[in-house]
């Protein structure tokens, strides 16, 4: 499994250039990460306030925040806790899971194009969720169905893309094909659904947090918390894998098992996020790049910062879809896909340019 994803120059390997002292007047990454995290928490708090205060019945921000904690008149508490908070929390949970999954996959494959939506995982999760809806199952089973679909996509990726000596670029291309095929299967099932089920399946074709309930949020969010704990528990193994397979093996790490564990955790996180929102693009692809640019090389702190940035991005995109676009009722997936298409194009151009330079 690892033969096809080895890098000629691992991150942090002994052959890498020694770290240079930060330029004068510029804070080292270890100091930037807490400052960026603090800024992210402040921005997220502002977005949460805007989310719970706005709607068909606007509320004063102070009253909306009190209502979020069950304080205030019963009407305000009902509107905030039962109608607005589930949607807001679903966006935060899904954004966190997608961003962390993207950071894990990009670091594992050492490729900037590796992300759940590009490699077919979110398409598989959507396929599993819609198939469960077609069978008339309960909404509480959606996380389990989405996880099964994500694992199916990973299996297809392994069958068609993981050959000895295969390049990561081929793996990404196979992932795009798997994503397209599973998306077509989802569209076919939506067309075949009875009229009363078509609306329920809409979020798994466009990506949406509309109409989320506490039952769905708690079932997916609880499993997401376990997956995030697993991601941080595997951070040290990822750091050892960055040294290269030979060095990692010399240090006693079973590289095949470690890579499989990281891959499974990433699939679980992305699938659970898709169970809440459907196939939301761009978040898992762009957030890890932005965090690396702002905070520096990957650490446990930057992994946590990626999750925070993903929550901010998805919640902000949902607010844009609700209040800033001229067409009302658009799903959040439309906003993220609009941002993601040019970003993916730029990444692919940069990737092909770097390959051409290495060939020369």
């Amino acid at each position: 499994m690892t033969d096809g994803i080895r890098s000629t120059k691992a991150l942090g390997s002994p052959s890498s250039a020694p770290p240079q002292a930060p330029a004068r007047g510029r804070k080292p990454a270890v100091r930037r990460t807490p400052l960026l995290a603090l800024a992210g928490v402040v921005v997220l708090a502002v977005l949460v306030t805007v989310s719970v205060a706005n709607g068909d019945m606007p509320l004063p921000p102070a009253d909306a925040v009190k209502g979020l904690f069950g304080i205030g008149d019963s009407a305000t508490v009902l509107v905030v806790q039962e109608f607005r908070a589930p949607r807001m929390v679903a966006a935060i949970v899904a954004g966190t899971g997608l961003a962390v999954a993207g950071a894990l996959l990009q670091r594992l494959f050492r490729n900037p194009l590796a992300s759940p939506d590009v490699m077919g995982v979110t398409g598989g999760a959507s396929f599993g969720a819609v198939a469960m809806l077609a069978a008339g199952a309960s909404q509480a089973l959606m996380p389990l169905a989405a996880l099964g679909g994500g694992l199916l996509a990973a299996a297809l990726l392994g069958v068609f893309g993981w050959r000895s000596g295969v390049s990561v670029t081929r793996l990404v291309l196979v992932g795009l094909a798997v994503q397209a095929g599973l998306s077509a299967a989802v569209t076919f099932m939506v067309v075949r659904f009875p009229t009363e089920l078509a609306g329920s399946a809409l979020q798994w074709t466009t990506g949406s947090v509309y109409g989320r309930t506490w039952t769905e949020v708690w079932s997916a969010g609880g499993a997401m918390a376990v997956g995030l704990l697993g991601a941080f528990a595997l951070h040290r193994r990822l750091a050892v894998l960055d040294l290269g397979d030979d060095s990692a093996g010399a240090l006693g790490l079973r590289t095949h098992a470690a890579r499989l564990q990281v891959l499974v955790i990433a699939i679980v996180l992305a699938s659970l996020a898709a169970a809440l929102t459907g196939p939301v693009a761009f978040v898992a692809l762009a957030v890890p790049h932005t965090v690396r640019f702002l905070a520096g090389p990957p650490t446990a702190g930057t992994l946590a910062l990626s999750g925070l940035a993903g929550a901010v991005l998805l919640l902000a995109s949902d607010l844009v879809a609700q209040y800033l676009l001229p067409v009302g009722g658009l799903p959040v997936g439309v906003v993220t896909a609009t941002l993601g298409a040019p970003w993916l194009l730029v990444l692919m151009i940069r990737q092909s340019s770097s390959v051409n330079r290495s060939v020369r």
Side-chain angles (χ1 to χ4, degrees):
M1 169 177 166
T2 60
D3 291 337
I5 55 180
R6 290 181 179 174
S7 175
T8 57
K9 194 169 185 179
L11 229 139
S13 64
S15 61
S16 300
Q20 298 183 4
R24 184 172 298 177
R26 186 177 179 184
K27 292 183 179 296
V30 69
R31 297 181 183 177
R32 290 202 303 268
T33 299
L35 293 177
L36 290 170
L38 178 61
V41 169
V42 172
V43 173
L44 184 61
V46 172
L47 293 175
V48 167
T49 302
V50 173
S51 180
V52 296
N54 289 277
D56 294 335
M57 185 180 74
L59 298 170
D63 292 345
V65 173
K66 290 179 181 178
L68 184 61
F69 295 98
I71 303 172
D73 63 272
S74 57
T76 299
V77 172
L78 177 65
V79 169
V80 171
Q81 289 192 346
E82 297 301 322
F83 298 104
R84 297 179 184 175
R87 177 171 186 162
M88 176 265 295
V89 175
I92 292 174
V93 170
T96 301
L98 286 172
V100 172
L104 291 176
L105 288 176
Q106 288 177 16
R107 191 174 177 187
L108 178 66
F109 292 119
R110 298 167 189 169
N111 190 294
L113 295 177
S115 71
D117 41 315
V118 173
M119 301 184 72
V121 176
T122 53
S126 301
F127 174 81
V130 173
M132 188 68 74
L133 273 178
S138 169
Q139 288 277 353
L141 295 177
M142 290 302 104
L144 183 62
L147 177 59
L151 293 174
L152 171 64
L156 292 174
L157 188 65
V159 169
F160 295 109
W162 244 309
R163 306 284 176 83
S164 59
V166 71
S167 66
V168 181
T169 302
R170 175 187 170 90
L171 201 62
V172 171
L173 292 176
V174 172
L176 288 171
V178 170
Q179 178 85 356
L182 292 173
S183 296
V186 169
T187 303
F188 173 78
M189 287 190 291
V190 170
V191 171
R192 298 289 297 174
F193 274 165
T195 304
E196 62 268 22
L197 291 182
S200 301
L202 179 63
Q203 68 163 316
W204 282 285
T205 60
T206 56
S208 174
V209 289
Y210 174 77
R212 298 303 91 209
T213 65
W214 282 121
T215 299
E216 296 164 333
V217 170
W218 286 120
S219 59
M224 183 80 73
V226 176
L228 290 172
L229 289 176
F232 286 100
L234 291 173
H235 171 72
R236 287 194 173 186
R237 299 188 182 186
L238 264 175
V240 176
L241 286 173
D242 286 341
L243 300 175
D245 287 355
D246 294 336
S247 298
L251 292 173
L253 182 67
R254 298 172 58 190
T255 57
H256 289 75
R259 291 184 190 277
L260 182 60
Q261 290 168 356
V262 174
L263 182 61
V264 169
I265 289 294
I267 291 172
V268 168
L269 292 175
S271 299
L272 292 173
L276 280 176
T277 64
V280 173
F282 177 67
V283 177
L285 181 67
V287 167
H289 290 279
T290 305
V291 170
R292 279 196 301 272
F293 175 76
L294 295 175
T299 63
T302 59
L303 186 62
L305 185 60
S306 294
L308 177 61
V312 168
L313 178 58
L314 191 54
L315 183 55
S317 298
D318 187 45
L319 292 175
V320 169
Q322 289 184 75
Y323 305 116
L324 296 184
L325 295 181
V327 180
L330 286 178
V332 67
V334 172
V335 177
T336 59
T338 302
L339 295 172
W343 183 275
L344 178 60
L345 181 61
V346 169
L347 280 180
M348 294 185 71
I349 292 174
R350 290 183 59 186
Q351 186 78 352
S352 62
S353 300
S354 63
V355 170
N356 291 335
R357 284 196 299 269
S358 65
V359 170
R360 292 174 188 172

